[in-house]
Amino acid sequence: MRRLLFLSRWYPYPADNGSKLRIYSLLRGLSREYRLTLLSYASEASTPPEPGPLSAICDEVRTVPYRPFDPSSRRARLGFLSLTPRSVLDTYSAEMEALIRDTLRNGNTDLVVASQIDMAVYSRAFGDTPAVFEELEAGVLHDQFRHAPALRQRMRHGLTWAKYRYYLRRLLHDYALCTVVSGEEQQLLARAVPDFQRVAVIPNCIEVASYRPFARDPQPNTLIFTGSLTYAPNYEAMRWFVAKVLPLVRAAILDVRLTITGDPGNRALPLADGVTLTGFVPDVRPLVAGAWASLAPIHQGGGTRLKILEAMALGTPVVATSKGAEGLDVTDGEHLLLGDSAEAFAGAVIRLLQDQGLRAQLAKRAQVLVGERYDWAKSMPQLLALLDGVARKRTVETVRTKLVGEGQA
């Protein structure tokens, strides 16, 4: 069985956000074909995180404390003079690089998978081990530049976007393959780095079977939003919804209630009557299954929203913005309802809460879609085949080099 080194920005247990959920599912799928070593950042510097089920998936799990980007740090300030993005310079960990080099030193690793840009930056530590950049996301930075409200902000975000594109052009040449989660991300990457063609779309998926045990017992006129508010697009989505949309909904449906799950960090929301902020919830599935509608009022960011797929798998109808549903093969009025302005979004919520037949139709069609298009049971074989091709190429090249050295080629 081949050996694979997986590098993760997020410690994937417990899988309490979208990135962790994707990484945990990937590790489970990869463990069928590879012996895994996981090197991950961990949020807590003093106490190593519990391995939980990771110990049954990975041969070895090791962590390095994560130091968030500090724009005021010396390295970040010096980054103004560099072509490398400031966040890369400031968060780069010599300890993580040394751990990667130490893990690869014996030459027994067949493949490296670096998850997200935070781990892809360590490619110079891989030596001749082939590597895959898993889940490159450029949409957030591009959207910040494109939607900057003022000239000064547009110039600042434009400089960041230009640096990021230049950095990607250099970085991607270290990778045999890069994956993105949607066609939109693939097109954006093609414009940003036109000479890099080794890109595959591996959409965000869920393990559909794990959602079937949750019987639905939805409560009337209940809405739910799942997602950490420490992630800026989620926070801005809820600020907008609570301030602009919820009053319009409440004018038509007085007893509407909203539950917001996830870590609020130090971000405050303009909360209102009927709004509950739960904080971290170990398992959001019972709460989602108990709501009449799940919300995704996202206006910025990239990738695809696992919160939408989870709600669909649980049979909970979804109301989203076009940006929130971006990257998913969904149709407005068939799988979910879409609305981009406050008035349109509120109208979609009101329509859904007042129409039991519509809720049932959307839920049924969405569950079919998730089962057919967004189940890891169907997507994982595609990823395994791609990784197998990268690993096999390395094996062939190693054998050829050995034969040349022995004069047999």
Side-chain angles (χ1 to χ4, degrees):
M1 184 177 269
R2 294 191 181 96
R3 294 179 180 272
L4 185 149
L5 172 60
F6 195 100
L7 307 177
S8 179
R9 153 67 181 89
W10 300 91
Y11 191 77
Y13 178 79
D16 53 16
N17 68 31
S19 291
K20 293 181 181 182
L21 188 59
R22 179 180 176 95
I23 292 164
Y24 181 70
S25 297
L26 287 175
L27 290 172
R28 279 172 52 91
L30 293 172
S31 67
R32 302 171 198 157
E33 301 289 338
Y34 294 90
R35 296 184 62 179
L36 300 178
T37 295
L38 171 65
L39 304 184
S40 175
Y41 278 123
S43 298
E44 299 297 330
S46 57
T47 306
E50 291 293 329
L54 295 174
S55 58
I57 299 173
C58 304
D59 288 358
E60 185 178 16
V61 177
R62 300 178 69 180
T63 61
V64 169
Y66 180 69
R67 186 173 60 83
F69 174 48
D70 178 6
S72 64
S73 73
R74 182 175 180 273
R75 283 199 291 184
R77 291 198 302 270
L78 289 174
F80 282 116
L81 306 176
S82 172
L83 291 175
T84 299
R86 297 170 66 217
S87 59
V88 172
L89 291 172
D90 185 55
T91 60
Y92 196 92
S93 167
E95 184 180 358
M96 177 61 79
E97 180 181 339
L99 185 56
I100 294 169
R101 290 186 185 277
D102 182 64
T103 303
L104 295 173
R105 186 166 289 119
N106 61 19
N108 292 332
T109 302
D110 297 287
L111 185 64
V112 176
V113 174
S115 175
Q116 303 181 344
I117 185 68
D118 304 80
M119 308 312 294
V121 300
Y122 294 101
S123 58
R124 69 186 186 188
F126 301 164
D128 63 354
T129 307
V132 173
F133 185 161
E134 211 291 302
E135 198 190 356
L136 188 157
E137 182 179 304
V140 173
L141 293 178
H142 180 256
D143 282 357
Q144 286 176 346
F145 164 58
R146 189 177 63 175
H147 299 302
L151 178 60
R152 183 176 179 179
Q153 291 171 306
R154 185 171 180 82
M155 291 176 64
R156 179 165 61 87
H157 290 308
L159 177 60
T160 300
W161 175 236
K163 278 189 175 184
Y164 189 71
R165 283 182 295 155
Y166 178 77
Y167 183 70
L168 283 180
R169 290 190 185 112
R170 292 178 290 155
L171 181 67
L172 284 172
H173 288 294
D174 294 336
Y175 286 90
L177 176 71
C178 173
T179 69
V180 293
V181 300
S182 69
E184 286 79 2
E185 285 283 352
Q186 186 180 35
Q187 293 170 13
L188 180 57
L189 179 58
R191 295 195 300 270
V193 190
D195 62 336
F196 187 82
Q197 305 295 324
R198 303 183 299 277
V199 182
V201 177
I202 303 295
N204 271 326
C205 296
I206 58 175
E207 298 180 27
V208 171
S210 68
Y211 292 80
R212 293 187 183 124
F214 291 86
R216 296 198 69 232
D217 185 23
Q219 301 302 304
N221 295 329
T222 52
L223 310 172
I224 190 164
F225 177 85
T226 59
S228 174
L229 299 182
T230 60
Y231 181 53
N234 285 340
Y235 173 69
E236 294 301 331
M238 281 295 94
R239 268 181 41 122
W240 177 76
F241 182 84
V242 172
K244 303 293 186 181
V245 182
L246 187 59
L248 300 178
V249 177
R250 180 161 283 123
I253 304 174
L254 186 61
D255 64 340
V256 66
R257 289 166 290 154
L258 168 65
T259 297
I260 304 172
T261 75
D263 179 11
N266 57 0
R267 297 176 183 266
L269 284 174
L271 297 181
D273 291 341
V275 178
T276 300
L277 189 62
T278 68
F280 170 72
V281 175
D283 190 345
V284 300
R285 289 174 293 184
L287 293 177
V288 176
W292 265 15
S294 179
L295 307 177
I298 308 295
H299 287 97
Q300 57 181 300
T304 52
R305 314 298 168 191
L306 280 168
K307 59 175 63 68
I308 292 180
L309 299 179
E310 290 189 301
M312 288 178 167
L314 290 164
T316 300
V318 173
V319 181
T321 57
S322 299
K323 184 65 177 178
E326 185 179 78
L328 297 175
D329 186 18
V330 293
T331 301
D332 183 20
E334 182 176 351
H335 305 108
L336 79 178
L337 297 182
L338 297 178
D340 291 325
S341 68
E343 293 76 15
F345 202 97
V349 172
I350 294 167
R351 179 184 169 203
L352 188 64
L353 295 182
Q354 292 180 337
D355 192 334
Q356 180 180 358
L358 177 61
R359 294 197 302 273
Q361 291 173 6
L362 292 177
K364 182 177 180 180
R365 293 169 185 156
Q367 277 187 315
V368 172
L369 175 70
V370 170
E372 292 178 347
R373 298 289 301 275
Y374 299 104
D375 188 352
W376 278 122
K378 296 183 178 180
S379 294
M380 186 58 67
Q382 177 191 358
L383 177 60
L384 288 171
L386 290 169
L387 298 186
D388 182 64
V390 174
R392 283 184 181 277
K393 182 178 179 182
R394 192 271 179 110
T395 301
V396 170
E397 290 174 350
T398 300
V399 171
R400 185 182 295 122
T401 301
K402 182 179 178 181
L403 291 175
V404 170
E406 295 175 352
Q408 300 178 39

